[in-house]
Amino acid sequence: MKQNSSVTEFILLGLTQDPLKQKMVFIIFLIFYIGTVVGNTLIIVTIKLSRTLGSPMYFFLFYLSFADSCFSTSTAPRLIVDAISKKNIITYNECITQVFALHLFGCMEIFVLILMAVDRYVAICKPLRYPVIMSRQVCVILIVLAWIGSFIHSTAQIVLALRLPFCGPNLIDHYCCDLQPLLKLACMDTYMINLLLVSNSGAICSSSFVILMISYFVILHSLRNHSAEGRKKALSTCTSHIIVVILFFGPCIFIYARPPTTFSMDKMVAVFYTIGTPFLNPLIYTLRNAEVKNAMKKLWHVKILTK
């Protein structure tokens, strides 16, 4: 990567400098990360191998779990290692790579959540045309477009990051590399770059949240015409999705859709949507979804019996 500065490496200050709290950070986030990887991998394997989870909703859930695992992996391992390391050094290239991965999989998660809302809208509001509108070919095309859109978004972040000159100091008051903490270290006027950041990441988070909330309002409003059993099933599915949307987009909008100001809670808010939400997603989608739980029981019961 072309480096536009005299700084070749950064030092991540992490969540805390207190030795005792660092040990707590190591233990807590190691548990969170292991839970995230195991939970999402379990969902991925179950959907891939189960014959009963072949609907578009689970096709999109497969990619949401994959994005969750990668999204958490882009930040959590370094946070965990740095919590017990004396030198929390990250090179310039590693920092830029982390920015790219963070936004690639974060944006992919946003697009997949939108696709899941579209799937629920068509299934509930246009049930007769659902098999045609949400065919396997259409779902694959939508996922490909989501990957392309995520790649374009993360590339735009890299273009902005590469324009930042760093002359020192090189202390990043964060646990990962992202444009906001990097903007504070840049030896230039960052007003325009921050404006571009808000119009890019901030606009994606805010507009996606509004679109999702409107779509679920329409869905819930249309449930009046369904049977009691149909309403119960639809509400269970939509409630899970709404919980995920609020947990993810609330912190995301707080971080990206605002002027270049710094708050003491920024790092904890970032932790919630980069590590907390990917950890909670498998719990939300399994504990509130009878089909996934039954598929897991059948699949792993068969696996144990065959051994």
Side-chain angles (χ1 to χ4, degrees):
M1 297 178 185
K2 184 180 179 181
Q3 186 173 338
N4 187 27
S5 68
S6 58
V7 174
T8 59
E9 60 187 24
F10 299 99
I11 298 176
L12 295 169
L13 297 182
L15 292 177
T16 179
Q17 295 296 300
D18 184 275
L20 179 59
K21 290 182 179 179
Q22 285 180 332
K23 292 178 182 178
M24 294 175 60
V25 166
F26 172 79
I27 295 172
I28 292 171
F29 288 101
L30 179 61
I31 294 172
F32 267 66
Y33 181 61
I34 292 174
T36 299
V37 173
V38 172
N40 283 293
T41 300
L42 186 60
I43 291 177
I44 290 171
V45 174
T46 301
I47 293 175
K48 192 69 176 177
L49 299 180
S50 177
R51 295 179 180 178
T52 61
L53 302 179
S55 66
M57 181 176 72
Y58 299 111
F59 175 80
F60 294 133
L61 180 57
F62 175 92
Y63 284 97
L64 179 66
S65 296
F66 176 76
D68 271 337
S69 297
C70 296
F71 187 47
S72 181
T73 300
S74 66
T75 57
R78 178 166 287 277
L79 170 62
I80 294 166
V81 172
D82 286 351
I84 56 173
S85 177
K86 294 182 178 179
K87 293 183 178 181
N88 305 336
I89 296 175
I90 183 170
T91 66
Y92 180 87
N93 286 347
E94 288 174 343
C95 184
I96 297 299
T97 301
Q98 188 176 52
V99 173
F100 180 83
L102 182 68
H103 284 271
L104 175 67
F105 297 112
C107 190
M108 183 61 185
E109 182 164 353
I110 289 175
F111 288 150
V112 173
L113 287 172
I114 292 175
L115 293 178
M116 293 177 77
V118 171
D119 173 70
R120 290 302 84 203
Y121 169 79
V122 177
I124 295 172
C125 300
K126 300 181 183 297
L128 298 179
R129 299 182 60 191
Y130 180 74
V132 177
I133 297 175
M134 300 302 296
S135 65
R136 175 63 62 159
Q137 184 179 5
V138 170
C139 292
V140 171
I141 292 173
L142 291 174
I143 283 294
V144 171
L145 291 175
W147 278 116
I148 294 173
S150 301
F151 181 81
I152 292 172
H153 164 73
S154 53
T155 301
Q157 302 302 300
I158 294 301
V159 171
L160 294 177
L162 292 176
R163 293 182 60 188
L164 297 175
F166 302 102
C167 313
N170 64 341
L171 299 176
I172 298 179
D173 187 17
H174 214 283
Y175 63 89
C176 68
C177 280
D178 201 358
L179 275 178
Q180 286 87 349
L182 288 177
L183 286 173
K184 300 174 188 176
L185 302 182
C187 47
M188 64 173 289
D189 182 4
T190 59
Y191 175 80
M192 286 304 300
I193 291 183
N194 187 80
L195 191 63
L196 291 172
L197 175 63
V198 171
S199 63
N200 186 350
S201 298
I204 288 176
C205 291
S206 302
S207 61
S208 298
F209 179 73
V210 172
I211 291 171
L212 287 167
M213 287 297 98
I214 291 174
S215 67
Y216 282 117
F217 175 79
V218 173
I219 290 171
L220 294 176
H221 184 265
S222 68
L223 290 177
R224 297 179 305 168
N225 303 323
H226 288 67
S227 63
E229 184 179 351
R231 282 198 302 269
K232 183 179 179 180
K233 184 177 180 180
L235 279 172
S236 177
T237 302
C238 290
T239 302
S240 299
H241 294 188
I242 292 171
I243 291 172
V244 171
V245 167
I246 294 174
L247 291 176
F248 182 81
F249 283 94
C252 186
I253 291 172
F254 177 80
I255 293 294
Y256 292 107
R258 73 179 199 212
T261 53
T262 302
F263 298 103
S264 58
M265 66 180 75
D266 282 356
K267 287 190 284 187
M268 290 309 300
V269 172
V271 161
F272 196 81
Y273 79 86
T274 57
I275 299 175
T277 304
F279 171 76
L280 293 173
N281 279 357
L283 298 177
I284 292 171
Y285 280 106
T286 53
L287 294 178
R288 296 187 59 84
N289 193 306
E291 289 183 341
V292 174
K293 287 190 290 186
N294 292 334
M296 284 184 176
K297 289 177 183 178
K298 290 179 182 179
L299 179 64
W300 299 110
H301 180 66
V302 171
K303 291 288 183 182
I304 293 173
L305 290 179
T306 54
K307 290 181 179 180

